[in-house]
Amino acid sequence: MTDWTPGIDISRYQGSVPQAKWDEFYRLGQRVACIGSAHPRANEFAEENFARAEQAGFELAPYIVVYPSVPSAQTVATAKLFGE
């Protein structure tokens, strides 16, 4: 059996998540922040959400969403990846 680590998924649809909410999520036991960086256009809130999640103590897991109607390379090129 694999151990699971609780986490939260934040995409561009949640917008800019305030630091107090990140701190609360962590206090409630969430440990991984899965943050969408492109859907397929760039998530304009990704960079600040990455920074706030990291400040709260989260492990970061960026992801992108690829649509069949948009070339994958185009989506990857627009993604904001943590650490860039």
Side-chain angles (χ1 to χ4, degrees):
M1 181 90 188
T2 303
D3 290 333
W4 291 90
T5 303
I8 188 165
D9 178 355
I10 301 292
S11 72
R12 69 181 177 99
Y13 300 106
Q14 284 75 49
S16 177
V17 178
Q19 187 64 53
K21 287 304 269 183
W22 284 110
D23 295 339
E24 180 181 2
F25 294 144
Y26 195 85
R27 183 181 57 77
L28 293 172
Q30 303 299 314
R31 294 296 181 261
V32 177
C34 300
I35 300 174
S37 60
H39 298 258
R41 69 176 200 263
N43 176 357
E44 62 271 23
F45 308 107
E47 191 171 343
E48 59 197 64
N49 283 332
F50 283 132
R52 290 176 184 157
E54 184 176 45
Q55 183 176 334
F58 281 85
E59 293 294 323
L60 304 178
Y63 69 89
I64 64 171
V65 176
V66 178
Y67 296 126
S69 60
V70 178
S72 300
Q74 180 181 327
T75 301
V76 171
T78 66
K80 292 183 184 258
L81 301 177
F82 177 73
E84 280 193 86

